[in-house]
Amino acid sequence: VGLFAASSGSISNVNLASMTVNAPATGAASMSVGALVGRNSGQIVSVSTSGMHVKGSSYHRNVVGGLVGTNAGGSIDRATVAGSVYAGSHTIAIGGLAGENLNSATSRGVITRSVSRNVVSGAMQRDELGGMGGLVGVNRGLIPDASSHAGTQATGAGHNVGGLVGSNLGGDIERSLATGRVQNGSDAYTGGLVGLNSGAISGSAAEGGVSAE
């Protein structure tokens, strides 16, 4: 769900302003929701958004991102996003830029030189491998030279929440920064940079406040 439901081609030099994207109440059992692309396996270069509002579903399992729902082996370079991203009660992964950054069978998901100023919030579905992040909810790919500068707030229990990435599951984060405030509920993993990490992080930092119930 997005301006493009899915993309395997190239998108460049696009500016989106003052849009609202809501996940539908009906349709497939699972979906990826983003302002620009729901599911990306291609290349996105030099794209920006402002005044965007993206909201997940409370009816079907979903992944939500401020620009891309799921980056599946695609590449995102020099993207800048600003606005707000909201989780629905069936959202399992949500990020200011991308809900998930995943690898495909043939290529690695890469998000580089990108910036999120999207406020990320909501009461999402509890999932031990899910996550909420200022930039990416769940990362299994590569994130170098990226940053997040807005608040991240999850309500409820058992969520993985980070200022940059909620769950870094075997992924790599390099030379990246998070400065937004991170707030989480109870029985949860909460971090200024990453909530739950099983990957590799180098040359990165967090500067915002962190709190949990």
Side-chain angles (χ1 to χ4, degrees):
V1 179
L3 187 61
F4 300 95
S7 174
S8 58
S10 178
I11 301 172
S12 62
N13 302 310
V14 174
N15 178 40
L16 302 178
S18 302
M19 285 177 55
T20 298
V21 179
N22 293 319
T26 60
S30 63
M31 65 186 77
S32 295
V33 182
L36 181 65
V37 180
R39 186 177 182 87
N40 177 60
S41 57
Q43 294 78 44
I44 297 174
V45 182
S46 298
V47 169
S48 65
T49 72
S50 60
M52 303 297 293
H53 304 282
V54 184
K55 186 174 183 179
S57 174
S58 295
Y59 300 92
H60 302 285
R61 184 179 175 93
N62 62 99
V63 172
V64 183
L67 186 72
V68 171
T70 299
N71 187 48
S75 64
I76 301 172
D77 183 27
R78 286 167 287 162
T80 302
V81 293
S84 57
V85 188
Y86 302 95
S89 61
H90 281 60
T91 300
I92 60 166
I94 182 170
L97 187 88
E100 297 175 314
N101 184 41
L102 310 178
N103 304 316
S104 70
T106 57
S107 60
R108 195 170 199 196
V110 179
I111 299 174
T112 184
R113 295 184 290 181
S114 295
V115 179
S116 172
R117 294 185 175 89
N118 272 329
V119 175
V120 183
S121 62
M124 59 192 294
Q125 180 173 314
R126 183 169 183 165
D127 189 315
E128 63 181 16
L129 297 180
M132 174 186 286
L135 187 81
V136 174
V138 174
N139 178 54
R140 296 178 184 269
L142 172 64
I143 302 176
D145 305 305
S147 62
S148 173
H149 304 282
T152 306
Q153 181 176 10
T155 56
H159 304 309
N160 305 318
V161 181
L164 190 80
V165 172
S167 295
N168 187 45
L169 305 178
D172 294 291
I173 299 171
E174 303 170 353
R175 303 178 303 278
S176 294
L177 173 68
T179 64
R181 180 170 176 77
V182 180
Q183 298 172 272
N184 201 358
S186 60
D187 189 23
Y189 292 103
T190 312
L193 188 73
V194 173
L196 175 66
N197 179 54
S198 62
I201 302 172
S202 62
S204 300
E207 298 176 355
V210 179
S211 62
E213 294 179 2

